[in-house]
Amino acid sequence: MRRGATLLELLLVLVIIGTLTAIAEPRVRGFTDGLAVNRAAIEIASAHRRARISAILQSRIVELTISTGTLAIRPRGASADSWRAAGPVALGVTLAGPSRIITFSPVGISIGVSNASFRLSRGAASRTVVVSRLGRLRIVP
């Protein structure tokens, strides 16, 4: 009596594993795309809140720059950013449209922005971060 598996049995197992992988892979990819887009939307929302709070605490006008590569907060007139983080591209997420600058007054109200929308997408997953002219923020699918 011999122990082990025959070549036919090994091929059958490989075919079954390949079939299961082919079925599961699109769902896993969609799940990871959704997670990346959600994280990018939350990072933009966090940067927005951070800039608003910074304007209030410093009693200065603060500008938040949202672009594909970076999220940056800079007090108006300053030469250097007071805070900087990687943009959505670091997560493999695309940001539709040009970079935008949101300006916050010392009381925390955004100046000059009228319903700014930031559309984020990766694969089939997408989210839109909408900033109202009063500075309210919401994330919509």
Side-chain angles (χ1 to χ4, degrees):
M1 183 181 320
R2 287 191 283 174
R3 291 183 152 186
T6 66
L7 183 60
L8 184 61
E9 291 170 339
L10 289 174
L11 285 175
L12 183 62
V13 168
L14 288 176
V15 167
I16 291 171
I17 289 173
T19 304
L20 291 175
T21 303
I23 292 170
E25 191 266 335
R27 290 185 182 188
V28 171
R29 181 179 293 159
F31 181 71
T32 57
D33 288 347
L35 287 176
V37 170
N38 283 338
R39 182 171 173 200
I42 288 170
E43 286 180 0
I44 289 175
S46 297
H48 181 272
R49 289 184 188 106
R50 181 185 294 251
R52 184 172 185 266
I53 290 170
S54 178
I56 293 169
L57 292 177
Q58 295 177 14
S59 295
R60 297 179 67 171
I61 295 177
V62 172
E63 297 174 342
L64 168 64
T65 304
I66 300 174
S67 68
T68 303
T70 59
L71 303 172
I73 298 173
R74 175 182 295 187
R76 181 174 274 175
S79 60
D81 296 333
S82 60
W83 179 82
R84 177 181 285 267
V89 75
L91 299 169
V93 177
T94 59
L95 174 65
S99 62
R100 308 263 318 251
I101 296 175
I102 301 174
T103 306
F104 293 91
S105 72
V107 294
I109 296 174
S110 58
I111 304 169
V113 172
S114 176
N115 295 331
S117 295
F118 302 97
R119 180 140 177 86
L120 303 163
S121 62
R122 176 175 151 178
S126 66
R127 295 276 183 269
T128 303
V129 179
V130 179
V131 181
S132 73
R133 51 191 138 134
L134 295 177
R136 293 190 185 117
L137 188 93
R138 63 190 167 122
I139 301 172
V140 295

Short mmCIF file of all heavy atoms in Angstrom, two decimals, residues 43-102:
data_model
loop_
_atom_site.label_atom_id
_atom_site.label_comp_id
_atom_site.label_asym_id
_atom_site.label_seq_id
_atom_site.Cartn_x
_atom_site.Cartn_y
_atom_site.Cartn_z
N GLU A 43 -10.66 60.98 5.96
CA GLU A 43 -9.49 61.83 6.10
C GLU A 43 -9.76 63.26 5.64
O GLU A 43 -9.30 64.21 6.26
CB GLU A 43 -8.30 61.24 5.34
CG GLU A 43 -7.73 60.03 6.03
CD GLU A 43 -6.55 59.42 5.29
OE1 GLU A 43 -6.18 59.94 4.22
OE2 GLU A 43 -6.03 58.41 5.78
N ILE A 44 -10.53 63.42 4.57
CA ILE A 44 -10.90 64.78 4.13
C ILE A 44 -11.80 65.43 5.17
O ILE A 44 -11.63 66.61 5.50
CB ILE A 44 -11.58 64.74 2.74
CG1 ILE A 44 -10.55 64.40 1.67
CG2 ILE A 44 -12.25 66.07 2.41
CD1 ILE A 44 -11.11 64.22 0.29
N ALA A 45 -12.75 64.68 5.71
CA ALA A 45 -13.62 65.23 6.75
C ALA A 45 -12.82 65.61 8.00
O ALA A 45 -13.07 66.65 8.62
CB ALA A 45 -14.71 64.21 7.10
N SER A 46 -11.86 64.79 8.37
CA SER A 46 -11.02 65.09 9.53
C SER A 46 -10.17 66.33 9.30
O SER A 46 -10.00 67.16 10.20
CB SER A 46 -10.12 63.90 9.85
OG SER A 46 -10.88 62.78 10.21
N ALA A 47 -9.62 66.48 8.09
CA ALA A 47 -8.83 67.66 7.77
C ALA A 47 -9.70 68.91 7.82
O ALA A 47 -9.28 69.97 8.29
CB ALA A 47 -8.19 67.51 6.39
N HIS A 48 -10.94 68.79 7.35
CA HIS A 48 -11.88 69.91 7.39
C HIS A 48 -12.15 70.33 8.84
O HIS A 48 -12.09 71.51 9.18
CB HIS A 48 -13.18 69.50 6.71
CG HIS A 48 -14.22 70.56 6.66
ND1 HIS A 48 -15.13 70.74 7.68
CD2 HIS A 48 -14.49 71.52 5.74
CE1 HIS A 48 -15.92 71.75 7.38
NE2 HIS A 48 -15.56 72.23 6.20
N ARG A 49 -12.42 69.37 9.69
CA ARG A 49 -12.67 69.68 11.11
C ARG A 49 -11.43 70.26 11.77
O ARG A 49 -11.51 71.19 12.57
CB ARG A 49 -13.13 68.42 11.83
CG ARG A 49 -14.52 68.01 11.43
CD ARG A 49 -15.01 66.82 12.24
NE ARG A 49 -16.26 66.34 11.69
CZ ARG A 49 -16.39 65.23 10.97
NH1 ARG A 49 -15.35 64.47 10.74
NH2 ARG A 49 -17.56 64.88 10.50
N ARG A 50 -10.27 69.70 11.46
CA ARG A 50 -9.02 70.18 12.04
C ARG A 50 -8.77 71.63 11.64
O ARG A 50 -8.36 72.46 12.47
CB ARG A 50 -7.87 69.29 11.58
CG ARG A 50 -6.53 69.69 12.15
CD ARG A 50 -5.43 68.83 11.54
NE ARG A 50 -5.57 67.45 11.93
CZ ARG A 50 -4.76 66.82 12.79
NH1 ARG A 50 -3.75 67.48 13.32
NH2 ARG A 50 -4.94 65.56 13.07
N ALA A 51 -9.01 71.97 10.37
CA ALA A 51 -8.79 73.34 9.90
C ALA A 51 -9.77 74.31 10.57
O ALA A 51 -9.40 75.41 10.96
CB ALA A 51 -8.94 73.41 8.39
N ARG A 52 -11.01 73.88 10.71
CA ARG A 52 -12.02 74.73 11.35
C ARG A 52 -11.66 75.01 12.81
O ARG A 52 -11.69 76.14 13.27
CB ARG A 52 -13.38 74.04 11.26
CG ARG A 52 -14.51 74.86 11.81
CD ARG A 52 -15.85 74.17 11.50
NE ARG A 52 -16.92 75.00 11.93
CZ ARG A 52 -17.50 74.90 13.13
NH1 ARG A 52 -17.12 73.99 13.98
NH2 ARG A 52 -18.48 75.72 13.46
N ILE A 53 -11.28 73.96 13.52
CA ILE A 53 -10.90 74.13 14.93
C ILE A 53 -9.64 74.97 15.05
O ILE A 53 -9.51 75.81 15.94
CB ILE A 53 -10.74 72.75 15.60
CG1 ILE A 53 -12.11 72.10 15.74
CG2 ILE A 53 -10.06 72.86 16.95
CD1 ILE A 53 -12.08 70.65 16.14
N SER A 54 -8.70 74.79 14.12
CA SER A 54 -7.47 75.57 14.13
C SER A 54 -7.77 77.05 13.94
O SER A 54 -7.17 77.90 14.60
CB SER A 54 -6.54 75.06 13.03
OG SER A 54 -5.38 75.81 12.97
N ALA A 55 -8.69 77.38 13.04
CA ALA A 55 -9.06 78.78 12.81
C ALA A 55 -9.68 79.39 14.07
O ALA A 55 -9.38 80.53 14.43
CB ALA A 55 -10.03 78.89 11.65
N ILE A 56 -10.51 78.62 14.74
CA ILE A 56 -11.16 79.12 15.96
C ILE A 56 -10.14 79.31 17.08
O ILE A 56 -10.11 80.35 17.74
CB ILE A 56 -12.29 78.17 16.39
CG1 ILE A 56 -13.42 78.19 15.36
CG2 ILE A 56 -12.82 78.54 17.77
CD1 ILE A 56 -14.46 77.10 15.56
N LEU A 57 -9.29 78.32 17.30
CA LEU A 57 -8.33 78.38 18.40
C LEU A 57 -7.26 79.44 18.19
O LEU A 57 -6.81 80.07 19.15
CB LEU A 57 -7.68 77.02 18.62
CG LEU A 57 -8.59 75.92 19.16
CD1 LEU A 57 -7.86 74.60 19.26
CD2 LEU A 57 -9.17 76.32 20.50
N GLN A 58 -6.84 79.65 16.94
CA GLN A 58 -5.81 80.64 16.66
C GLN A 58 -6.38 82.03 16.42
O GLN A 58 -5.62 82.99 16.32
CB GLN A 58 -4.99 80.22 15.43
CG GLN A 58 -4.20 78.96 15.62
CD GLN A 58 -3.49 78.56 14.35
OE1 GLN A 58 -3.37 79.33 13.40
NE2 GLN A 58 -2.99 77.34 14.32
N SER A 59 -7.69 82.13 16.27
CA SER A 59 -8.36 83.39 15.94
C SER A 59 -7.74 84.02 14.69
O SER A 59 -7.45 85.21 14.65
CB SER A 59 -8.31 84.37 17.11
OG SER A 59 -9.04 83.87 18.19
N ARG A 60 -7.50 83.17 13.70
CA ARG A 60 -6.91 83.61 12.44
C ARG A 60 -7.66 82.98 11.28
O ARG A 60 -8.36 82.00 11.45
CB ARG A 60 -5.46 83.13 12.31
CG ARG A 60 -4.52 83.66 13.32
CD ARG A 60 -3.14 83.10 13.09
NE ARG A 60 -2.58 83.59 11.83
CZ ARG A 60 -1.35 83.41 11.47
NH1 ARG A 60 -0.53 82.73 12.22
NH2 ARG A 60 -0.92 83.87 10.32
N ILE A 61 -7.46 83.55 10.11
CA ILE A 61 -8.00 82.94 8.90
C ILE A 61 -7.08 81.79 8.51
O ILE A 61 -5.86 81.96 8.44
CB ILE A 61 -8.12 83.97 7.76
CG1 ILE A 61 -9.15 85.03 8.15
CG2 ILE A 61 -8.48 83.30 6.46
CD1 ILE A 61 -9.30 86.15 7.15
N VAL A 62 -7.67 80.63 8.28
CA VAL A 62 -6.91 79.42 7.97
C VAL A 62 -7.41 78.87 6.64
O VAL A 62 -8.61 78.88 6.37
CB VAL A 62 -7.06 78.38 9.10
CG1 VAL A 62 -6.45 77.05 8.72
CG2 VAL A 62 -6.46 78.89 10.39
N GLU A 63 -6.48 78.37 5.83
CA GLU A 63 -6.84 77.79 4.53
C GLU A 63 -6.54 76.30 4.53
O GLU A 63 -5.47 75.86 4.93
CB GLU A 63 -6.03 78.46 3.41
CG GLU A 63 -6.33 79.92 3.26
CD GLU A 63 -5.43 80.61 2.26
OE1 GLU A 63 -4.37 80.05 1.91
OE2 GLU A 63 -5.79 81.70 1.82
N LEU A 64 -7.52 75.54 4.06
CA LEU A 64 -7.36 74.10 3.89
C LEU A 64 -7.26 73.80 2.41
O LEU A 64 -8.17 74.15 1.64
CB LEU A 64 -8.55 73.35 4.50
CG LEU A 64 -8.68 71.86 4.16
CD1 LEU A 64 -7.51 71.06 4.72
CD2 LEU A 64 -9.99 71.31 4.67
N THR A 65 -6.17 73.20 1.97
CA THR A 65 -5.98 72.83 0.58
C THR A 65 -6.24 71.34 0.44
O THR A 65 -5.61 70.53 1.12
CB THR A 65 -4.56 73.15 0.10
OG1 THR A 65 -4.31 74.53 0.32
CG2 THR A 65 -4.38 72.82 -1.36
N ILE A 66 -7.18 70.99 -0.42
CA ILE A 66 -7.51 69.60 -0.69
C ILE A 66 -7.15 69.32 -2.14
O ILE A 66 -7.75 69.87 -3.05
CB ILE A 66 -9.00 69.32 -0.44
CG1 ILE A 66 -9.35 69.61 1.01
CG2 ILE A 66 -9.34 67.87 -0.80
CD1 ILE A 66 -10.82 69.50 1.33
N SER A 67 -6.14 68.47 -2.33
CA SER A 67 -5.73 68.08 -3.67
C SER A 67 -5.53 66.58 -3.71
O SER A 67 -5.63 65.91 -2.68
CB SER A 67 -4.45 68.82 -4.07
OG SER A 67 -3.37 68.37 -3.29
N THR A 68 -5.24 66.07 -4.87
CA THR A 68 -5.06 64.63 -5.03
C THR A 68 -3.92 64.11 -4.16
O THR A 68 -4.04 63.08 -3.52
CB THR A 68 -4.79 64.29 -6.50
OG1 THR A 68 -5.88 64.78 -7.28
CG2 THR A 68 -4.66 62.81 -6.71
N GLY A 69 -2.82 64.84 -4.11
CA GLY A 69 -1.64 64.36 -3.41
C GLY A 69 -1.52 64.75 -1.96
O GLY A 69 -0.85 64.06 -1.19
N THR A 70 -2.13 65.88 -1.57
CA THR A 70 -1.94 66.36 -0.20
C THR A 70 -3.21 66.98 0.37
O THR A 70 -4.06 67.50 -0.36
CB THR A 70 -0.83 67.43 -0.11
OG1 THR A 70 -1.18 68.52 -0.95
CG2 THR A 70 0.51 66.89 -0.50
N LEU A 71 -3.26 66.95 1.68
CA LEU A 71 -4.22 67.73 2.46
C LEU A 71 -3.35 68.62 3.34
O LEU A 71 -2.48 68.12 4.05
CB LEU A 71 -5.08 66.82 3.34
CG LEU A 71 -5.87 65.73 2.62
CD1 LEU A 71 -6.52 64.79 3.64
CD2 LEU A 71 -6.94 66.34 1.74
N ALA A 72 -3.55 69.94 3.27
CA ALA A 72 -2.67 70.85 4.00
C ALA A 72 -3.46 71.99 4.62
O ALA A 72 -4.40 72.51 4.03
CB ALA A 72 -1.60 71.41 3.07
N ILE A 73 -3.05 72.37 5.82
CA ILE A 73 -3.64 73.51 6.54
C ILE A 73 -2.54 74.55 6.71
O ILE A 73 -1.43 74.24 7.14
CB ILE A 73 -4.18 73.08 7.92
CG1 ILE A 73 -5.29 72.04 7.75
CG2 ILE A 73 -4.68 74.29 8.69
CD1 ILE A 73 -5.76 71.43 9.04
N ARG A 74 -2.90 75.78 6.35
CA ARG A 74 -1.94 76.87 6.44
C ARG A 74 -2.66 78.13 6.91
O ARG A 74 -3.67 78.52 6.32
CB ARG A 74 -1.32 77.12 5.08
CG ARG A 74 -0.39 78.32 5.05
CD ARG A 74 0.16 78.56 3.68
NE ARG A 74 0.98 77.40 3.34
CZ ARG A 74 1.73 77.32 2.26
NH1 ARG A 74 1.74 78.30 1.39
NH2 ARG A 74 2.45 76.26 2.01
N PRO A 75 -2.16 78.80 7.95
CA PRO A 75 -2.73 80.10 8.31
C PRO A 75 -2.48 81.09 7.17
O PRO A 75 -1.42 81.05 6.54
CB PRO A 75 -1.94 80.50 9.56
CG PRO A 75 -1.40 79.22 10.11
CD PRO A 75 -1.16 78.35 8.92
N ARG A 76 -3.46 81.93 6.91
CA ARG A 76 -3.30 82.88 5.79
C ARG A 76 -2.12 83.80 6.08
O ARG A 76 -1.96 84.31 7.17
CB ARG A 76 -4.56 83.71 5.62
CG ARG A 76 -4.43 84.68 4.45
CD ARG A 76 -5.69 85.40 4.17
NE ARG A 76 -6.50 84.56 3.27
CZ ARG A 76 -7.72 84.87 2.89
NH1 ARG A 76 -8.30 85.96 3.35
NH2 ARG A 76 -8.38 84.09 2.09
N GLY A 77 -1.29 83.96 5.06
CA GLY A 77 -0.10 84.80 5.19
C GLY A 77 1.13 84.04 5.66
O GLY A 77 2.23 84.56 5.58
N ALA A 78 0.98 82.83 6.14
CA ALA A 78 2.13 82.05 6.61
C ALA A 78 2.83 81.42 5.41
O ALA A 78 2.22 81.14 4.38
CB ALA A 78 1.68 80.96 7.58
N SER A 79 4.12 81.19 5.55
CA SER A 79 4.89 80.61 4.45
C SER A 79 4.92 79.08 4.50
O SER A 79 5.21 78.44 3.50
CB SER A 79 6.31 81.16 4.47
OG SER A 79 6.93 80.83 5.70
N ALA A 80 4.65 78.51 5.67
CA ALA A 80 4.71 77.05 5.80
C ALA A 80 3.37 76.51 6.29
O ALA A 80 2.60 77.21 6.94
CB ALA A 80 5.81 76.67 6.78
N ASP A 81 3.13 75.26 5.96
CA ASP A 81 1.91 74.59 6.41
C ASP A 81 2.03 74.28 7.90
O ASP A 81 3.09 73.88 8.38
CB ASP A 81 1.69 73.29 5.65
CG ASP A 81 1.46 73.52 4.16
OD1 ASP A 81 0.98 74.61 3.81
OD2 ASP A 81 1.76 72.60 3.37
N SER A 82 0.93 74.44 8.62
CA SER A 82 0.92 74.05 10.02
C SER A 82 0.58 72.57 10.18
O SER A 82 0.87 71.97 11.21
CB SER A 82 -0.08 74.90 10.81
OG SER A 82 -1.39 74.73 10.30
N TRP A 83 -0.02 71.98 9.16
CA TRP A 83 -0.36 70.55 9.16
C TRP A 83 -0.41 70.07 7.73
O TRP A 83 -0.87 70.77 6.84
CB TRP A 83 -1.70 70.34 9.85
CG TRP A 83 -2.15 68.91 9.88
CD1 TRP A 83 -1.77 67.95 10.76
CD2 TRP A 83 -3.07 68.28 8.98
NE1 TRP A 83 -2.39 66.77 10.47
CE2 TRP A 83 -3.20 66.94 9.38
CE3 TRP A 83 -3.78 68.72 7.87
CZ2 TRP A 83 -4.02 66.04 8.71
CZ3 TRP A 83 -4.60 67.82 7.22
CH2 TRP A 83 -4.72 66.51 7.64
N ARG A 84 0.08 68.85 7.50
CA ARG A 84 0.07 68.28 6.15
C ARG A 84 -0.08 66.77 6.27
O ARG A 84 0.48 66.15 7.16
CB ARG A 84 1.36 68.62 5.44
CG ARG A 84 1.49 68.01 4.06
CD ARG A 84 2.82 68.40 3.43
NE ARG A 84 2.80 69.78 2.97
CZ ARG A 84 2.47 70.14 1.74
NH1 ARG A 84 2.15 69.24 0.85
NH2 ARG A 84 2.48 71.40 1.39
N ALA A 85 -0.86 66.20 5.36
CA ALA A 85 -1.04 64.75 5.30
C ALA A 85 -1.13 64.33 3.84
O ALA A 85 -1.37 65.15 2.96
CB ALA A 85 -2.31 64.33 6.05
N ALA A 86 -0.93 63.05 3.63
CA ALA A 86 -1.03 62.51 2.26
C ALA A 86 -2.48 62.59 1.80
O ALA A 86 -3.41 62.43 2.58
CB ALA A 86 -0.54 61.08 2.23
N GLY A 87 -2.66 62.83 0.52
CA GLY A 87 -3.99 62.92 -0.06
C GLY A 87 -4.55 61.55 -0.42
O GLY A 87 -3.94 60.51 -0.11
N PRO A 88 -5.68 61.54 -1.09
CA PRO A 88 -6.34 60.27 -1.44
C PRO A 88 -5.51 59.36 -2.34
O PRO A 88 -5.67 58.15 -2.31
CB PRO A 88 -7.61 60.72 -2.16
CG PRO A 88 -7.82 62.12 -1.79
CD PRO A 88 -6.48 62.69 -1.46
N VAL A 89 -4.61 59.94 -3.13
CA VAL A 89 -3.81 59.13 -4.04
C VAL A 89 -2.93 58.14 -3.29
O VAL A 89 -2.59 57.08 -3.82
CB VAL A 89 -2.98 60.02 -5.00
CG1 VAL A 89 -1.80 60.63 -4.30
CG2 VAL A 89 -2.55 59.25 -6.22
N ALA A 90 -2.58 58.43 -2.04
CA ALA A 90 -1.77 57.51 -1.24
C ALA A 90 -2.51 56.21 -0.98
O ALA A 90 -1.89 55.17 -0.74
CB ALA A 90 -1.38 58.17 0.08
N LEU A 91 -3.84 56.25 -1.02
CA LEU A 91 -4.66 55.06 -0.83
C LEU A 91 -5.09 54.44 -2.15
O LEU A 91 -5.87 53.49 -2.17
CB LEU A 91 -5.90 55.41 -0.01
CG LEU A 91 -5.65 55.95 1.39
CD1 LEU A 91 -6.93 56.50 2.00
CD2 LEU A 91 -5.06 54.88 2.28
N GLY A 92 -4.63 55.01 -3.25
CA GLY A 92 -5.04 54.53 -4.56
C GLY A 92 -6.41 55.04 -4.97
O GLY A 92 -7.03 54.51 -5.88
N VAL A 93 -6.87 56.09 -4.32
CA VAL A 93 -8.20 56.67 -4.58
C VAL A 93 -8.02 57.92 -5.43
O VAL A 93 -7.13 58.73 -5.19
CB VAL A 93 -8.90 57.03 -3.25
CG1 VAL A 93 -10.23 57.69 -3.49
CG2 VAL A 93 -9.08 55.78 -2.40
N THR A 94 -8.87 58.07 -6.44
CA THR A 94 -8.80 59.26 -7.28
C THR A 94 -9.77 60.32 -6.78
O THR A 94 -10.87 60.01 -6.32
CB THR A 94 -9.14 58.93 -8.75
OG1 THR A 94 -10.44 58.37 -8.82
CG2 THR A 94 -8.14 57.95 -9.33
N LEU A 95 -9.34 61.55 -6.87
CA LEU A 95 -10.16 62.70 -6.49
C LEU A 95 -10.49 63.44 -7.77
O LEU A 95 -9.59 63.95 -8.45
CB LEU A 95 -9.39 63.61 -5.53
CG LEU A 95 -10.04 64.93 -5.13
CD1 LEU A 95 -11.31 64.67 -4.34
CD2 LEU A 95 -9.09 65.76 -4.31
N ALA A 96 -11.77 63.48 -8.12
CA ALA A 96 -12.20 64.12 -9.36
C ALA A 96 -12.13 65.63 -9.22
O ALA A 96 -12.45 66.19 -8.18
CB ALA A 96 -13.61 63.68 -9.72
N GLY A 97 -11.70 66.29 -10.26
CA GLY A 97 -11.68 67.75 -10.28
C GLY A 97 -10.36 68.32 -9.80
O GLY A 97 -9.46 67.60 -9.36
N PRO A 98 -10.26 69.63 -9.88
CA PRO A 98 -9.01 70.30 -9.48
C PRO A 98 -8.90 70.39 -7.96
O PRO A 98 -9.85 70.13 -7.22
CB PRO A 98 -9.17 71.69 -10.10
CG PRO A 98 -10.64 71.93 -10.08
CD PRO A 98 -11.27 70.57 -10.35
N SER A 99 -7.71 70.78 -7.50
CA SER A 99 -7.54 71.00 -6.07
C SER A 99 -8.34 72.24 -5.66
O SER A 99 -8.54 73.16 -6.45
CB SER A 99 -6.07 71.17 -5.72
OG SER A 99 -5.54 72.29 -6.37
N ARG A 100 -8.82 72.23 -4.43
CA ARG A 100 -9.65 73.34 -3.94
C ARG A 100 -9.07 73.85 -2.63
O ARG A 100 -8.47 73.09 -1.87
CB ARG A 100 -11.09 72.88 -3.68
CG ARG A 100 -11.76 72.15 -4.81
CD ARG A 100 -12.66 72.95 -5.71
NE ARG A 100 -13.55 73.90 -5.15
CZ ARG A 100 -14.87 73.78 -5.08
NH1 ARG A 100 -15.45 72.69 -5.51
NH2 ARG A 100 -15.60 74.75 -4.60
N ILE A 101 -9.30 75.10 -2.37
CA ILE A 101 -8.88 75.72 -1.11
C ILE A 101 -10.13 76.19 -0.39
O ILE A 101 -10.93 76.95 -0.95
CB ILE A 101 -7.92 76.90 -1.35
CG1 ILE A 101 -6.64 76.39 -2.00
CG2 ILE A 101 -7.62 77.60 -0.04
CD1 ILE A 101 -5.67 77.48 -2.37
N ILE A 102 -10.30 75.74 0.84
CA ILE A 102 -11.41 76.17 1.69
C ILE A 102 -10.83 77.10 2.75
O ILE A 102 -9.88 76.74 3.44
CB ILE A 102 -12.11 74.97 2.35
CG1 ILE A 102 -12.66 74.02 1.28
CG2 ILE A 102 -13.23 75.44 3.27
CD1 ILE A 102 -13.25 72.74 1.84
#
